[in-house]
Amino acid sequence: MANLNEQNVYFGPDSLKKYFDPDCQPPLPLVELPRHLNPYYDDGVRIYAKMMTMHPANNVKAMPALNMLESSVVSNKTNTIIEYSSGSTVISMSMIARVMHGISDTRAFLSNKTSDAKLKLMQFFGLNITLFGGPSQPEPVDARGGIQNARKMAMESETIVNPNQYENDLNWQAHVRWTGPQIFKQLPEINVLCAGMGTSGTMTGLGTYFKSVKPSVMKLGVCTAPGDRVPGPRSYALLRPVEFPWREAVDAIEEVGSSDSYTLSLNLCREGLVCGPSSGFNLQGLFQMLEKRKSTGTLSDLAGLDGITHCVFLCCDLPYQYIEEYFQKLGPEQFPPIQNERLAKVDLHRYDESWERDAWEILPQFYGSPRSLAQCRLSEITPKPHNWVIDLRRLPDFHAWHLPGSVNLPLSSHGPHTPSPFSDAAVLEAQWVELERIFSNASLVSDLDSHRVLLLCYDGNTARVATSVLRAKGLDADSIRGGCQVLRSYGIGDDRVPAPNKVPYRTTVSVSAMPLD
């Protein structure tokens, strides 16, 4: 563990290899929890998070993956990696296989009960996925599960490697090689070490290392409570067939449920230590052990020569792939409400500024006249062919004044005094639903399909929504910015020439100087 790269910069043709190599990096951060996150601070306990999330692969499994592949991949022979994994291990293998060994074919065997978010995450990283039925965490020796299927495929082909994290001692030895030495170098005062038990590799490696360099360190393993589930760790019952020497590596076991795990993870994330549920799981296990010690009066027995108990727990991965589970596991009171949540299901189409047009730019494209628009009476304006002008105002207002050749499609949700849909969520919801209903008429859409469409309303905002709806259906639609209010302010339809000093909306060019064609 040289860690000579204090600037944390990686140069040259092997820059990515160095970036992934712990021997070429500064140690991953060790961060003390602030007092308000440490309920045992006044009892002389200091708690530190080892941020395994800060490895380039963003999870604790990166170092085992690196260690296992380093010894199992045969140069110019191995072309495929296969691993049974719920996510972090095989994703790390995929990246490390590419970076370190130039292998792009990594295949994930995993449970059919894996969340859709995790499946998509593995697809995102280019993994070839095969699902297996049965228990989500099969026993490593069960011939019916994906673990042994992966092993069998590798045994039948010299080009396939199955690192098999469940039985490969290089899994836990990675933490003897890297993680343990990092922690000891960063915090030689350490008194308690806490990690979750999945394959048990992390705790086995760390426990083995500290048993060698500082036997006084208490090694605490954390398992899931019976009948509960947290991504990554296993229940104590499922650990029994695991053949790693985890029993010799741990001093105590705590069992933790999912609710506490997700809650603590959420709290850590909001305080700036971004980590997934297994990190909250580890911290809760540590809290439980400390509370038991405090209640029996033996907490001070863990302290070092300085009278302080220094505890380290591992932050194993990031929370993003588990976001849906946080909302499922925790109550709505844990999350701020969404204002105007009703809009989440409406107004779903894109907008484009170019679709909202200045009247003096767009009207000449729909109407032809030898003189400028503002000097024409409506009766003198001739509509061009292959254009539709749709007026969304109410019928009385349409009859009182409208552009020649326009068609009235009045909206019940739109009136001269209706608030803007962009200032009132209820108005936007009502207008979008009504517009979607009107323009779901296949016959109407078919009639509009070969035409340019111009949409007009009172103030331009409702027409802007309607333009978004029609554009989503593939139609060539635009709206007039400012709507009829702007047109009337220009004098269009007043049967009089506007005053000489009248300035058109959003332009300083003289109205009379703008030809129609």
Side-chain angles (χ1 to χ4, degrees):
M1 192 180 68
N3 290 327
L4 300 177
N5 186 8
E6 294 181 358
Q7 271 65 46
N8 208 12
V9 179
Y10 307 89
F11 296 102
D14 290 335
S15 57
L16 278 175
K17 289 184 178 181
K18 295 173 186 176
Y19 178 53
F20 272 77
D21 185 352
D23 289 329
C24 298
Q25 304 168 342
L28 299 178
L30 191 69
V31 184
E32 183 181 355
L33 298 191
R35 188 170 189 160
H36 66 278
L37 291 177
N38 177 4
Y40 302 96
Y41 189 92
D42 292 336
D43 299 302
V45 175
R46 302 296 180 265
I47 300 175
Y48 308 83
K50 177 62 173 175
M51 303 302 294
M52 305 304 291
T53 56
M54 299 300 287
H55 185 276
N58 299 132
N59 66 75
V60 71
K61 301 294 188 178
M63 292 182 183
L66 182 65
N67 208 37
M68 288 186 285
L69 290 178
E70 181 180 87
S71 298
S72 58
V73 169
V74 179
S75 181
N76 299 319
K77 181 181 287 187
T78 304
N79 57 27
T80 300
I81 309 295
I82 297 180
E83 183 71 5
Y84 189 94
S85 167
S86 61
S88 293
T89 299
V90 76
I91 288 173
S92 295
M93 284 182 180
S94 174
M95 286 188 272
I96 290 166
R98 280 188 173 92
V99 170
M100 296 295 194
H101 306 287
I103 298 172
S104 59
D105 183 14
T106 300
R107 304 180 186 183
F109 286 8
L110 65 158
S111 168
N112 62 335
K113 299 163 186 63
T114 304
S115 70
D116 183 64
K118 271 196 172 183
L119 293 176
K120 285 185 168 60
L121 183 65
M122 284 186 270
Q123 288 179 299
F124 177 85
F125 282 103
L127 287 153
N128 181 313
I129 298 172
T130 301
L131 299 179
F132 286 82
S136 59
Q137 293 178 317
E139 292 188 4
V141 296
D142 189 344
R144 299 167 294 181
I147 296 174
Q148 291 303 317
N149 273 272
R151 181 180 183 181
K152 181 181 177 183
M153 287 184 66
M155 291 176 65
E156 294 174 349
S157 173
E158 293 183 351
T159 64
I160 297 176
V161 164
N162 168 224
N164 193 354
Q165 61 175 318
Y166 304 93
E167 299 176 292
N168 191 336
D169 286 338
L170 293 172
N171 178 346
W172 62 268
Q173 288 171 4
H175 299 293
V176 176
R177 181 180 178 184
W178 288 305
T179 315
Q182 281 192 13
I183 294 172
F184 192 44
K185 183 178 180 180
Q186 292 169 310
L187 189 70
E189 303 89 351
I190 183 173
N191 307 115
V192 178
L193 178 69
C194 177
M197 307 279 279
T199 64
S200 80
T202 304
M203 194 66 243
T204 300
L206 291 173
T208 300
Y209 175 77
F210 278 99
K211 190 175 180 180
S212 165
V213 300
K214 191 175 181 179
S216 63
V217 172
M218 179 187 179
K219 284 79 71 178
L220 176 65
V222 189
C223 297
T224 52
D228 208 342
R229 181 183 175 276
V230 175
R234 291 172 170 245
S235 67
Y236 185 75
L238 288 176
L239 275 178
R240 288 171 183 164
V242 176
E243 296 184 357
F244 293 162
W246 59 269
R247 294 170 181 83
E248 294 79 24
V250 298
D251 299 313
I253 295 285
E254 286 291 336
E255 294 180 323
V256 170
S258 58
S259 179
D260 289 329
S261 304
Y262 280 85
T263 298
L264 278 180
S265 167
L266 185 70
N267 293 342
L268 290 173
C269 288
R270 289 176 175 176
E271 294 292 334
L273 289 173
V274 181
C275 57
S278 62
S279 307
F281 172 85
N282 293 340
L283 182 56
Q284 177 62 25
L286 177 60
F287 282 171
Q288 290 177 191
M289 184 276 293
L290 294 172
E291 185 60 34
K292 289 176 182 177
R293 287 273 186 161
K294 183 176 179 178
S295 64
T296 59
T298 60
L299 180 55
S300 61
D301 294 348
L302 297 172
L305 295 176
D306 59 358
I308 301 295
T309 302
H310 299 277
C311 306
V312 174
F313 74 99
L314 265 64
C315 286
C316 301
D317 65 359
L318 296 173
Y320 306 113
Q321 60 185 306
Y322 310 109
I323 293 300
E324 285 297 326
E325 295 180 31
Y326 283 88
F327 284 84
Q328 293 166 7
K329 297 283 186 181
L330 306 178
E333 66 277 3
Q334 293 278 7
F335 304 97
I338 298 175
Q339 305 302 321
N340 293 336
E341 190 171 6
R342 65 201 307 162
L343 296 185
K345 296 181 180 179
V346 301
D347 192 33
L348 303 179
H349 311 310
R350 67 178 289 256
Y351 287 79
D352 192 304
E353 185 180 356
S354 66
W355 302 340
E356 192 178 22
R357 310 289 289 274
D358 184 275
W360 297 107
E361 173 193 2
I362 191 67
L363 283 178
Q365 299 176 33
F366 277 75
Y367 294 94
S369 171
R371 290 175 293 169
S372 62
L373 260 177
Q375 292 179 321
C376 294
R377 294 178 173 82
L378 287 181
S379 58
E380 298 176 319
I381 301 175
T382 305
K384 291 183 178 181
H386 305 297
N387 291 324
W388 273 59
V389 179
I390 298 177
D391 193 320
L392 302 173
R393 295 175 301 152
R394 292 182 176 172
L395 188 60
D397 298 314
F398 177 78
H399 281 323
W401 178 93
H402 61 266
L403 289 174
S406 58
V407 175
N408 187 218
L409 289 178
L411 300 183
S412 62
S413 56
H414 179 46
H417 304 297
T418 303
S420 165
F422 302 111
S423 64
D424 190 314
V427 172
L428 179 54
E429 179 185 31
Q431 290 188 359
W432 191 84
V433 168
E434 188 173 4
L435 286 164
E436 279 286 336
R437 178 182 57 77
I438 290 172
F439 293 120
S440 65
N441 184 312
S443 177
L444 174 59
V445 172
S446 177
D447 288 343
L448 296 174
D449 189 37
S450 59
H451 294 74
R452 290 192 66 191
V453 180
L454 183 63
L455 292 145
L456 188 65
C457 67
Y458 290 101
D459 60 4
N461 291 323
T462 301
R464 186 184 183 212
V465 180
T467 300
S468 172
V469 171
L470 285 180
R471 286 278 183 169
K473 299 180 184 300
L475 300 178
D476 184 7
D478 295 285
S479 65
I480 293 180
R481 185 185 293 108
C484 289
Q485 293 177 2
V486 165
L487 295 184
R488 298 305 297 270
S489 72
Y490 289 167
I492 297 177
D494 286 346
D495 283 344
R496 61 179 174 81
V497 178
N501 62 352
K502 179 163 289 192
V503 178
Y505 182 64
R506 290 178 62 89
T507 182
T508 57
V509 179
S510 170
V511 173
S512 61
M514 296 186 63
L516 278 170
D517 295 314

